[in-house]
Coordinates of all heavy atoms in Angstrom, one line a residue:
F131 N 1.0 4.1 8.4 CA 0.0 3.2 9.1 C -0.2 3.6 10.6 O 0.8 3.9 11.3 CB 0.5 1.7 9.1 CG 0.1 1.0 7.9 CD1 1.1 0.6 7.0 CD2 -1.2 0.7 7.6 CE1 0.8 -0.1 5.9 CE2 -1.5 0.0 6.4 CZ -0.5 -0.4 5.6
T132 N -1.4 3.6 11.0 CA -1.7 3.6 12.5 C -2.1 2.2 12.8 O -2.1 1.3 12.0 CB -2.9 4.5 12.8 OG1 -4.0 4.2 12.0 CG2 -2.5 6.0 12.5
A133 N -2.4 1.9 14.1 CA -2.6 0.5 14.6 C -4.1 0.2 14.5 O -4.9 1.1 14.5 CB -2.1 0.3 16.0
D134 N -4.4 -1.1 14.4 CA -5.8 -1.5 14.3 C -6.6 -1.1 15.5 O -7.8 -1.0 15.5 CB -5.9 -3.0 14.1 CG -5.7 -3.4 12.6 OD1 -6.1 -2.5 11.8 OD2 -5.2 -4.5 12.3
D135 N -6.0 -1.0 16.7 CA -6.7 -0.6 17.9 C -6.9 0.9 18.0 O -7.4 1.4 19.0 CB -6.0 -1.1 19.1 CG -4.6 -0.5 19.3 OD1 -4.2 0.3 18.4 OD2 -3.9 -0.8 20.3
G136 N -6.5 1.7 16.9 CA -6.7 3.1 16.9 C -5.6 3.9 17.5 O -5.6 5.2 17.5
S137 N -4.6 3.3 18.0 CA -3.4 4.0 18.6 C -2.4 4.3 17.5 O -2.5 3.9 16.4 CB -2.8 3.2 19.7 OG -2.2 2.0 19.1
V138 N -1.4 5.1 17.9 CA -0.3 5.4 17.1 C 0.9 4.6 17.4 O 1.4 4.6 18.5 CB 0.1 6.9 17.2 CG1 1.2 7.3 16.2 CG2 -1.1 7.8 17.0
P139 N 1.4 3.7 16.5 CA 2.6 2.9 16.7 C 3.8 3.8 17.1 O 3.9 4.9 16.6 CB 2.8 2.2 15.4 CG 1.5 2.2 14.7 CD 0.8 3.5 15.1
S140 N 4.7 3.2 17.9 CA 5.8 4.0 18.4 C 6.7 4.5 17.2 O 7.2 5.6 17.2 CB 6.7 3.1 19.3 OG 7.1 1.9 18.7
Q141 N 6.8 3.6 16.1 CA 7.6 4.0 15.0 C 7.0 5.2 14.3 O 7.7 6.2 13.9 CB 7.8 2.9 14.0 CG 8.5 1.7 14.6 CD 7.5 0.6 15.0 OE1 6.4 0.9 15.4 NE2 7.8 -0.6 14.8
T142 N 5.7 5.2 14.1 CA 5.0 6.3 13.4 C 5.0 7.6 14.3 O 5.3 8.7 13.8 CB 3.5 5.9 13.2 OG1 3.5 4.7 12.4 CG2 2.8 7.1 12.4
D143 N 4.9 7.4 15.6 CA 4.9 8.6 16.5 C 6.3 9.2 16.4 O 6.4 10.4 16.3 CB 4.6 8.1 17.9 CG 4.5 9.2 18.9 OD1 3.7 10.1 18.7 OD2 5.3 9.3 19.9
A144 N 7.4 8.4 16.5 CA 8.7 9.0 16.5 C 9.0 9.7 15.1 O 9.6 10.7 15.1 CB 9.8 7.9 16.7
Y145 N 8.5 9.1 14.1 CA 8.7 9.6 12.7 C 8.1 11.0 12.6 O 8.7 11.9 12.1 CB 8.2 8.7 11.7 CG 8.3 9.2 10.3 CD1 9.5 9.3 9.6 CD2 7.2 9.7 9.6 CE1 9.6 9.8 8.3 CE2 7.3 10.2 8.3 CZ 8.5 10.2 7.7 OH 8.6 10.7 6.4
L146 N 6.8 11.1 13.1 CA 6.1 12.4 13.0 C 6.8 13.5 13.8 O 6.8 14.6 13.4 CB 4.7 12.2 13.4 CG 3.8 11.3 12.4 CD1 2.4 11.2 12.9 CD2 3.8 12.0 11.0
W147 N 7.3 13.1 15.0 CA 8.0 14.1 15.8 C 9.2 14.6 15.1 O 9.6 15.8 15.2 CB 8.3 13.5 17.2 CG 7.2 13.6 18.2 CD1 6.3 12.6 18.5 CD2 6.8 14.7 18.9 NE1 5.4 13.0 19.4 CE2 5.7 14.3 19.7 CE3 7.3 16.0 19.1 CZ2 5.1 15.2 20.6 CZ3 6.7 16.9 20.0 CH2 5.6 16.5 20.7
K148 N 9.9 13.7 14.4 CA 11.1 14.2 13.6 C 10.7 15.1 12.5 O 11.5 15.9 12.0 CB 11.8 13.0 13.0 CG 12.5 12.1 14.0 CD 13.2 10.9 13.4 CE 13.8 10.0 14.4 NZ 14.4 8.8 13.7
Q149 N 9.4 15.0 12.0 CA 9.0 15.8 10.9 C 8.5 17.2 11.4 O 8.2 18.1 10.5 CB 7.8 15.2 10.2 CG 8.3 13.9 9.4 CD 9.2 14.3 8.2 OE1 9.0 15.3 7.6 NE2 10.2 13.5 8.0
R150 N 8.6 17.5 12.7 CA 8.1 18.7 13.2 C 8.9 19.9 12.7 O 10.1 19.9 12.7 CB 8.1 18.7 14.7 CG 7.3 19.8 15.3 CD 7.4 19.8 16.8 NE 6.3 20.5 17.5 CZ 6.3 21.0 18.7 NH1 7.4 20.9 19.4 NH2 5.3 21.5 19.2
A151 N 8.2 20.9 12.1 CA 8.9 22.1 11.6 C 8.9 23.1 12.7 O 8.3 23.0 13.7 CB 8.1 22.6 10.3
D152 N 9.6 24.2 12.4 CA 9.7 25.3 13.3 C 9.6 26.7 12.6 O 9.6 26.8 11.4 CB 11.0 25.3 14.1 CG 12.2 25.0 13.2 OD1 12.3 25.6 12.1 OD2 13.2 24.3 13.6
W153 N 9.4 27.7 13.4 CA 9.3 29.1 12.9 C 10.2 30.0 13.6 O 10.7 29.8 14.7 CB 7.8 29.6 13.0 CG 7.2 29.4 14.4 CD1 6.5 28.4 14.9 CD2 7.2 30.4 15.4 NE1 6.1 28.6 16.1 CE2 6.6 29.9 16.5 CE3 7.7 31.7 15.5 CZ2 6.4 30.6 17.7 CZ3 7.6 32.4 16.7 CH2 6.9 31.9 17.8
F154 N 10.6 31.1 12.9 CA 11.5 32.1 13.4 C 10.9 33.3 13.9 O 11.2 33.8 15.0 CB 12.6 32.4 12.4 CG 13.4 31.2 11.9 CD1 13.0 30.6 10.7 CD2 14.4 30.8 12.6 CE1 13.8 29.5 10.3 CE2 15.2 29.7 12.2 CZ 14.8 29.0 11.1

Side-chain angles (χ1 to χ4, degrees):
F131 276 112
T132 55
D134 277 330
D135 62 359
S137 64
V138 183
S140 58
Q141 299 99 324
T142 304
D143 186 59
Y145 177 75
L146 292 177
W147 275 98
K148 291 178 182 178
Q149 291 293 321
R150 193 182 204 203
D152 46 36
W153 51 271
F154 297 99

